[in-house]
């Protein structure tokens, strides 16, 4: 069948007719808050947004009660809410809804005549107290009855036959009364009922390119009868993600090992209520083993990791007061896995009697992770971070790319064995109670399909690999097309922006603004260097060492030490000759003589490795990792870096990394320690230039470097800047009869906030905000990071914090630059009136003092 044309109007009608808007909204994060008893409208909520869905003719429509202009069909709903909230064009909407239809249901809800718009807008959006439990029970019963009908039976097996399930499997005692046929109008679907301790809880429906779970709380599980028939003692429980996988597992495996087995399925991601319900089934049936038969992918591995922590053999009932409760075994170690689009994380909690015991457990875990990382061809992939530690508990977080979730599963299996060893003899679980059984293909139904084709196990693995590569290729093609459309849209926006900017009026206004601003900047920048006072040091050796430490970092524009260098500028004074300077620099290199440092953790001369992980901030961009590597290579310090390794994810974001090697016996180890520590701290603090940058290393290496840094011969300078200012020659002049110039009272720290409004700039372009920041920095003040946002009108709003001291030698230039910035159009400067008066007074005194000093020197 040919794909519909891009501009086929009948396709839009098909989207409106065949997609259930309520179901689509629920998959976008909306929840049903309320619905009419007749089902003629639904009230959906997401965050603070309230949407009413009803029916108009042959399709559904919606209305946002807080915005009269936000209304329409599924087309409008997808257009305004797609693209991470930024909206989609019609072509993107078509593509998204085509993909959605592959797994989305045809509308099954029945709607009465929709009420008028005024009535919809006046519906209450609060949460009134009411007898919700009875209403929810009535709704659940009605929805299940609509799906299963009055006579519950399996009358249509065509879908199951299409998935390779045989009649012999379907007629097994295990599945009698557990699979039904649901029919609404002419549509027939296969229905799998979900049960809990109260009976029927929900129903999952499936058909070719269609699946739907009733909009009810997911607190039930699909469960078979024992394979030997009802009320027979269960030896094994098999847990999978879907009932289709359970049927496939039975058909593939049960004949080889015909233990009396009970099958359980969760209809996708297991909820907390479902995990608790599975444990209740284990408590009742008391099986000898539980088999985890989830998919062979990151999601299935994550489910298995959590089942290893949660599920246990049948719990005994113990008396509590006048009742009974299940006895829970102790959990000296517990864990839980979560994931986002790119990463899977494992939160591990160690319960212990002392902090020392917790430190030993963390050390053991770190060593295990290090062994796993050493086996990876592409370099370390698992990162370990201690989040919190007390006398009673230590929490550790492990993170890995989703593609490498199997490494976390290995860790979880070792934690499972460790927990059994730490438990008392009476609490230890029977050996191999939980067992993982992965399919040869992605899932057991796919393995069944390949098996029915006559493929061997090796052929199935090869076919599954080819299929995965094909899916990855298709994902990359879809991603490339989406990126192409985004680039085209941005190009149109830039073209429109250029046309606005190139109008005669805009050019004239910009020229006037630039002329005024450039004049102000020029006046600041042309201040003669010799007018600035020199800095003083205790001796020439100190000045030389300070220069040797920071001259290369300054010349390379070392971003991560920008704040430090600003507070500790290179000294002026005696110029160090090239030979002496080279000698000092050589002290910070690998070839220099080792400095004895006492480290209990390992040999000081051992080469350590910290991995810098640097993500690009935009799709299809590159170079950030190479820039950071160049900065470190040109810094003059003794670390060495490896080649850059990188990969591009499915969103087009380049994720790169390189190794930084160092030794703890080097004189500059304290500086290297500061670089790593400050980089991670500023990245965690949300500083813009550190976004997507982190340094990963074993905790043992970080601790050893900390000790080495404390004992290092070269330490970062942290003294007050004001102490570095040379004394004014007034007293000396007085000795020869000249007029003495007073140094004045000590200054104070001041802060100013500068806000800049301007048209949004394209990526990589320098705007007015950056020009202001550069001018302020050139004047001698300290300008913080730019914080910028762009509103829906395309106006960029930027803000920066500026700090200075009133006793700075450059106070006159600083004051002049601040006044010039305040007068420029589009700028707003927030400064206390008394601070402005003090600044201007200090600038005036500085000018008078400078003139007097020049007169004395003459």
């Amino acid at each position: 069948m040919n794909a519909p044309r891009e501009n086929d109007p009948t396709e839009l009608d098909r989207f409106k007719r065949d997609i259930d808007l309520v179901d689509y909204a629920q998959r976008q994060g909306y929840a049903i808050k309320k619905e009419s008893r007749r089902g003629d409208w639904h009230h959906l909520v997401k965050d603070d947004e309230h949407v009413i869905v009803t029916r108009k003719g042959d399709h559904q429509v919606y209305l946002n009660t807080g915005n009269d202009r936000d209304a329409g069909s599924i087309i409008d709903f997808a257009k305004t809410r797609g693209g991470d909230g930024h909206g989609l064009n019609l072509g993107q909407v078509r593509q998204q809804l085509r993909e959605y239809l592959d797994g989305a249901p045809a509308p099954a809800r029945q709607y009465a005549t929709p009420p008028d718009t005024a009535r919809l807008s006046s519906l209450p959006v609060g949460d009134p107290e009411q007898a919700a439990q009875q209403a929810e029970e009535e709704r659940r019963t009605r929805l299940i009855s609509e799906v299963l009908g009055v006579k519950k039976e399996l009358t249509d097996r065509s879908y199951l036959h299409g998935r390779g399930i045989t009649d012999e499997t379907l007629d097994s005692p295990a599945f009698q009364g557990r699979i039904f046929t649901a029919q609404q109008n002419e549509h027939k679907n296969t229905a799998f009922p979900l049960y809990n301790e109260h009976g029927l809880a929900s129903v999952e429906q499936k058909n070719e390119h269609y699946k739907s779970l009733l909009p009810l709380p997911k607190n039930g599980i699909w469960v078979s009868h024992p394979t030997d028939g009802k009320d027979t003692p269960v030896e094994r429980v098999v847990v999978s993600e879907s009932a289709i996988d359970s049927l496939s597992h039975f058909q593939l495996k049960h004949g080889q090992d015909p233990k009396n087995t009970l099958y359980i399925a969760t209809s996708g991601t297991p909820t907390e209520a479902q995990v608790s319900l599975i444990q209740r089934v284990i408590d009742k049936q008391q099986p000898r083993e539980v088999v985890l038969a989830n998919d062979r992918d990151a999601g299935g591995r994550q489910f298995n990791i959590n089942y290893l922590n949660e599920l246990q053999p049948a719990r005994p009932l113990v008396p509590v007061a006048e009742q009974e409760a299940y006895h829970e075994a102790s959990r000296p170690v517990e864990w839980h896995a979560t994931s986002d689009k790119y990463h899977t994380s494992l939160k591990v909690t160690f319960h212990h009697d002392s902090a020392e015991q917790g430190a030993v457990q963390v050390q053991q875990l770190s060593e295990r992770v290090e062994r796993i990382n050493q086996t990876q061809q592409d370099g370390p992939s698992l990162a370990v971070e201690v989040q919190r530690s007390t006398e009673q508990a230590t929490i550790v977080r492990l993170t890995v790319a989703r593609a490498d979730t199997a490494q976390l599963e290995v860790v979880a299996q070792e934690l499972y064995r460790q927990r059994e060893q730490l438990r008392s003899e009476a609490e230890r679980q029977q050996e191999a109670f939980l067992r993982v059984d992965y399919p040869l293909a992605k899932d057991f139904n796919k393995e069944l399909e390949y098996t029915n084709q006559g493929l061997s196990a090796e052929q199935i693995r090869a076919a599954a690999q080819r299929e995965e590569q094909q899916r990855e290729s298709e994902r990359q093609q879809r991603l490339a097309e989406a990126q192409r459309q985004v680039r085209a849209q941005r190009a149109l926006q830039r073209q429109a922006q250029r046309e606005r900017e190139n109008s005669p009026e805009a050019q004239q206004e910009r020229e006037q603004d630039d002329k005024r601003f450039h004049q102000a900047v020029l006046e600041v920048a042309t201040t003669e260097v010799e007018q600035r006072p020199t800095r003083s040091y205790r001796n020439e050796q100190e000045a030389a060492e300070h220069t040797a430490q920071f001259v290369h970092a300054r010349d390379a524009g070392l971003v991560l030490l920008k704040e430090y260098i600003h507070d500790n500028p290179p000294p002026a004074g005696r110029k160090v000759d090239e030979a002496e300077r080279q000698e000092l620099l050589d002290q910070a290199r690998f070839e220099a003589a080792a400095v004895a440092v006492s480290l209990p953790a390992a040999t000081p001369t051992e080469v350590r490795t910290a991995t810098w992980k640097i993500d690009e901030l935009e799709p299809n961009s590159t170079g950030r990792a190479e820039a950071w590597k160049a900065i470190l290579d040109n810094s003059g310090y003794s670390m060495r870096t490896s080649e850059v390794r990188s990969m591009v994810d499915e969103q087009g974001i380049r994720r790169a990394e390189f190794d930084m090697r160092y030794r703890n016996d080097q004189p500059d180890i304290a500086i290297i320690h500061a670089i790593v520590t400050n980089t991670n701290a500023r990245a965690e603090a949300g500083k813009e230039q550190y976004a997507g940058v982190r340094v990963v290393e074993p905790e043992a290496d970080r601790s050893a470097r900390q000790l080495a840094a404390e004992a290092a011969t070269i330490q970062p300078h942290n003294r007050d800047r004001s102490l570095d200012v040379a004394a004014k020659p007034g007293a000396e002049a007085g000795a020869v009869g000249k007029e003495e110039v007073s140094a004045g009272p000590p200054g104070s720290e001041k802060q100013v906030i500068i806000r800049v409004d301007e048209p949004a700039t394209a990526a990589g372009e320098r705007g007015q905000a950056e020009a202001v920041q550069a001018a302020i920095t050139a004047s001698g003040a300290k300008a913080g990071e730019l914080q910028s946002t762009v509103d829906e009108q395309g106006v960029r709003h930027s803000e920066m914090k500026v700090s200075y001291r009133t006793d700075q030698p450059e106070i006159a230039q600083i004051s002049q630059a601040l006044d010039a910035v305040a007068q420029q159009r589009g700028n707003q400067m927030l400064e206390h009136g008394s601070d402005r008066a003090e600044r201007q007074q200090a600038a005036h005194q500085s000018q008078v003092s400078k003139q007097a000093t020049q007169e004395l020197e003459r």
Side-chain angles (χ1 to χ4, degrees):
M1 179 177 179
N2 295 329
R5 300 192 309 275
E6 189 68 14
N7 60 350
D8 184 2
T10 62
E11 185 183 42
L12 299 180
D13 293 334
R14 183 166 62 90
F15 292 153
K16 296 177 185 178
R17 183 179 63 254
D18 291 349
I19 295 180
D20 189 330
L21 204 158
V22 175
D23 185 83
Y24 180 90
Q26 285 180 289
R27 298 185 186 215
Q28 311 303 316
Y30 289 78
I32 297 178
K33 184 178 181 66
K34 190 177 180 182
E35 63 180 333
S36 69
R37 290 188 177 182
R38 297 186 302 162
D40 59 347
W41 56 264
H42 289 75
H43 177 189
L44 307 179
V45 178
K46 181 181 179 182
D47 299 329
D48 295 328
E49 183 183 10
H50 297 263
V51 173
I52 305 299
V53 177
T54 184
R55 198 164 187 84
K56 179 181 180 182
D58 64 344
H59 65 276
Q60 296 161 289
V61 293
Y62 78 99
L63 171 69
N64 184 346
T65 61
N67 183 357
D68 293 337
R69 292 177 295 178
D70 185 11
S73 67
I74 183 69
I75 309 299
D76 305 288
F77 191 94
K79 183 184 296 185
T80 58
R81 287 160 178 79
D84 295 329
H86 299 294
L88 301 174
N89 59 37
L90 188 56
Q92 293 169 326
V93 168
R94 287 177 183 269
Q95 181 176 351
Q96 183 181 95
L97 296 184
R98 284 179 200 142
E99 296 173 358
Y100 176 82
L101 265 182
D102 289 339
R109 296 180 174 85
Q110 300 298 321
Y111 295 87
T113 303
D116 58 33
T117 303
R119 177 189 166 210
L120 291 179
S121 300
S122 64
L123 285 174
V125 296
D127 189 18
E129 293 292 334
Q130 55 181 320
Q133 185 174 356
Q134 182 178 358
E136 181 64 22
E137 180 65 20
E138 292 176 355
R139 174 172 173 268
R140 183 184 64 81
T141 302
R142 176 177 56 80
L143 289 174
I144 293 175
S145 298
E146 288 177 356
V147 171
L148 298 183
V150 178
K151 189 176 182 181
K152 304 177 180 66
E153 56 184 343
L154 180 61
T155 59
D156 186 349
R157 301 186 175 191
S158 56
Y159 168 69
L160 296 170
H161 290 164
R163 301 297 295 265
I165 309 298
T166 64
D167 287 329
E168 182 181 2
T169 295
L170 297 175
D171 292 333
S172 166
F175 308 116
Q176 294 305 298
R178 293 311 197 207
I179 311 171
F180 305 109
T181 298
Q183 182 166 355
Q184 293 84 36
N185 302 323
E186 71 279 7
H187 299 288
K188 288 184 179 181
N189 302 312
T190 301
F192 300 93
L194 277 61
Y195 298 90
N196 58 25
E197 60 269 30
H198 304 297
L200 268 172
S202 187
V203 179
E204 181 182 29
Q205 298 180 78
K206 285 193 173 183
N207 212 325
E208 195 70 25
H209 305 302
Y210 169 81
K211 61 181 178 180
S212 174
L213 187 64
L214 290 180
L216 294 168
K218 195 179 176 186
N219 57 8
I221 55 176
W222 181 85
V223 56
S224 73
H225 298 300
T227 53
D228 288 352
K230 294 182 180 179
D231 302 323
T232 55
V234 172
E235 299 178 81
R236 175 173 56 205
V237 169
V238 176
V239 180
S240 59
E241 297 178 40
S242 73
I244 292 292
D245 283 335
S246 295
L247 294 165
S248 302
H249 190 279
F250 171 87
Q251 192 164 314
L252 286 165
K253 306 277 188 174
H254 188 69
Q256 304 168 14
D257 186 10
K259 293 178 182 177
N260 194 19
T261 304
L262 189 76
Y263 289 89
I264 293 175
T266 58
S267 296
T269 303
T271 64
E272 184 177 347
Q274 288 179 308
V275 175
S276 177
L277 197 56
I278 294 171
Q279 182 62 54
R280 295 286 295 273
V281 172
I282 294 172
D283 295 334
K284 180 180 179 181
Q285 300 294 339
Q286 300 183 357
R288 296 184 59 186
E289 69 171 343
V290 172
V291 177
L292 306 178
N294 293 299
D295 294 355
R296 183 188 286 274
D297 58 15
R301 294 185 187 279
Q302 179 184 329
F303 302 158
N304 289 340
I305 290 171
N306 291 333
Y307 282 139
L308 283 171
N309 179 63
E310 297 293 341
L311 300 182
Q312 55 186 303
R315 302 168 296 179
L317 284 169
V318 295
V320 179
E322 297 180 356
Q323 303 181 33
E324 286 185 323
Y326 286 109
H327 172 72
E328 291 282 351
S330 62
R331 292 178 183 267
V333 185
E334 52 187 333
W335 56 90
H336 185 73
T338 57
S339 63
D340 57 25
K341 193 169 186 178
Y342 304 109
H343 302 92
T344 302
S345 296
L346 185 65
K347 180 181 178 182
V348 183
T349 303
F350 295 102
H351 299 282
H352 42 70
D353 298 326
S354 66
E356 291 76 14
Q357 189 180 34
V360 171
Q361 291 174 317
V362 171
Q363 180 65 25
Q364 292 173 347
L365 179 61
S366 299
E367 290 173 356
R368 177 55 184 153
V369 169
E370 181 64 23
R371 289 196 296 271
I372 293 176
N373 282 335
Q374 289 174 355
T375 65
Q376 306 305 305
Q377 295 182 350
D378 296 331
S381 56
L382 265 173
V384 182
E385 174 192 5
V386 178
Q387 292 189 312
R388 183 165 60 86
S389 180
T390 66
E391 289 290 328
Q392 289 76 38
T394 300
I395 299 176
V396 182
R397 186 181 186 87
L398 290 78
T399 305
V400 73
R402 275 184 63 84
D404 297 323
T405 305
Q407 297 174 25
L408 287 183
E409 187 176 12
V410 172
V411 174
Q413 289 170 346
E414 291 207 358
L415 292 173
Y416 180 79
R417 290 189 288 269
Q418 180 182 355
R419 181 166 66 187
E420 294 307 307
Q421 294 172 358
L422 293 172
R423 282 174 169 166
S424 64
E425 187 70 29
E427 288 186 336
R428 290 182 183 175
Q429 299 182 9
Q430 63 197 58
E431 188 175 354
F433 171 71
L434 286 173
R435 178 168 62 86
V436 175
D437 185 12
Y438 280 119
L440 298 177
K442 178 184 180 296
D443 54 48
F444 280 102
N445 187 248
K446 196 65 181 178
E447 180 181 339
L448 178 62
E449 177 186 333
Y450 287 136
T451 301
N452 291 340
Q453 294 173 10
L455 274 63
S456 65
E458 191 60 36
Q459 290 172 327
I460 290 175
R461 294 190 186 95
Q465 184 176 8
R466 289 194 301 271
E467 189 175 81
E468 176 58 30
Q469 291 173 348
Q470 177 63 26
R471 284 197 297 268
E472 178 62 25
S473 176
E474 292 173 356
R475 282 195 294 267
Q476 292 294 339
Q477 291 176 3
R478 291 195 299 269
L479 176 62
E481 176 60 21
Q483 292 172 348
R484 186 194 64 77
Q485 294 180 0
V486 169
R487 288 194 297 269
Q489 186 176 6
R490 289 178 177 173
L492 292 175
Q493 292 173 348
R494 287 194 296 269
Q495 178 63 27
Q497 178 70 18
R498 284 194 293 268
E499 291 176 357
R500 289 193 297 270
E501 292 177 350
N502 290 335
S503 65
E505 296 81 3
Q507 288 182 354
Q508 183 178 3
E509 183 178 356
R510 189 163 55 250
E511 288 173 359
Q512 293 175 353
D513 285 345
D514 288 348
K515 184 177 181 181
R516 288 193 297 267
F517 184 68
H518 291 161
Q519 180 63 32
V521 173
L522 183 62
E523 292 173 358
V524 174
T526 53
T527 303
E528 295 183 2
V529 175
E530 58 267 20
Q531 292 181 354
R532 300 186 180 182
T534 60
R535 298 188 175 278
S536 62
Y537 288 81
R538 288 188 293 270
N539 51 56
E540 293 182 355
Q541 179 68 14
E542 180 185 8
E545 289 181 355
H546 198 181
T547 301
Q549 290 177 38
F550 294 106
V551 65
H552 284 303
R554 182 198 59 192
D555 293 342
L558 193 56
V559 177
L560 67 159
L561 290 179
K562 186 177 69 175
E563 287 106 337
Y564 175 80
I565 294 173
H566 188 279
D567 290 335
N568 301 272
R574 184 181 72 84
K575 182 177 180 181
V576 182
D577 62 40
E578 186 63 27
E580 182 179 357
R581 174 174 169 275
Q582 187 61 43
E583 179 182 354
L584 291 167
L585 284 174
D586 287 343
Q587 294 177 5
R589 301 191 180 276
F590 275 114
E591 295 78 9
V595 177
V597 180
S598 177
L599 291 177
T603 306
T605 56
E606 179 183 348
V607 176
R608 305 300 182 94
T609 300
T611 301
W612 288 65
K613 295 180 178 290
I614 301 171
D615 298 341
E616 295 293 337
L617 303 182
E618 296 288 340
N620 303 314
S621 59
T622 187
R624 283 190 89 207
E626 286 76 8
W628 281 83
K629 171 178 160 58
I631 286 171
L632 296 176
D633 289 343
N634 296 327
S635 66
Y637 301 127
S638 62
M639 79 280 280
R640 293 292 182 269
T641 61
S642 69
E643 294 301 317
V644 175
R645 306 180 296 271
S646 67
M647 55 86 69
V648 178
D649 64 21
E650 59 186 17
Q651 301 300 317
I653 300 295
R654 180 186 187 237
R655 302 186 183 278
E657 63 179 34
F658 59 85
D659 295 330
M660 181 188 79
R661 299 182 178 87
Y662 63 92
R663 290 213 319 256
N664 285 333
D665 61 343
Q666 295 305 307
D668 62 349
I669 189 60
I671 307 296
I672 296 173
H673 181 69
I675 291 173
V676 174
T677 304
N678 292 342
T679 297
N680 284 331
R682 289 164 184 167
E684 292 174 1
K687 294 212 170 187
E688 182 178 359
Q689 67 194 84
Y690 296 88
V693 179
R694 65 193 185 281
V695 187
V696 177
E697 62 182 330
E699 178 63 23
D701 286 0
R702 191 205 65 78
S703 300
R705 190 180 64 245
Q706 171 76 39
L707 294 175
E710 293 172 357
T713 56
I714 298 179
Q715 293 288 332
H717 292 248
N718 294 309
R719 58 180 178 273
D720 189 343
R721 290 186 64 187
S722 61
L723 300 179
D724 289 342
V725 181
K728 293 181 174 61
E732 205 174 289
V736 293
K738 299 288 184 178
E739 181 183 359
E740 182 173 346
V741 180
S742 173
S748 58
E749 182 85 12
K750 302 294 182 185
Q751 284 194 344
V752 179
I753 295 178
I754 297 177
R755 293 173 178 169
V756 180
D757 296 336
E758 59 180 323
T761 56
E765 293 183 1
R766 185 171 182 269
Q768 180 173 321
E770 285 78 10
V772 170
Q773 185 184 42
I776 293 298
T777 302
S779 72
K782 183 176 179 180
E785 300 298 326
L786 275 175
Q787 304 293 332
S788 300
T789 59
V790 178
D791 62 23
E792 56 187 15
Q793 281 77 38
V795 177
R796 179 192 182 205
H797 305 280
S798 303
E799 181 176 300
M800 74 187 80
K801 290 183 179 180
V802 175
S803 60
Y804 63 91
R805 291 185 59 84
T806 55
D807 58 354
Q808 278 187 240
E810 307 92 349
I811 186 60
Q813 296 95 305
I814 293 172
S815 182
Q816 186 177 8
L818 289 174
D819 290 340
V821 167
Q823 295 173 5
Q824 186 188 17
R825 183 174 181 178
N827 296 343
Q828 180 185 9
M829 191 163 70
L830 305 181
E831 182 182 27
H832 197 280
S834 61
D835 287 352
R836 182 169 55 253
E838 186 177 347
R839 165 173 61 80
Q840 293 174 343
Q841 177 65 24
H844 176 71
Q845 291 178 352
S846 175
Q847 292 283 20
V848 172
S849 174
K850 190 176 299 183
Q851 292 172 2
T853 300
Q854 293 172 351
E855 181 64 27
L856 288 173
E857 291 175 347
R858 285 198 296 269

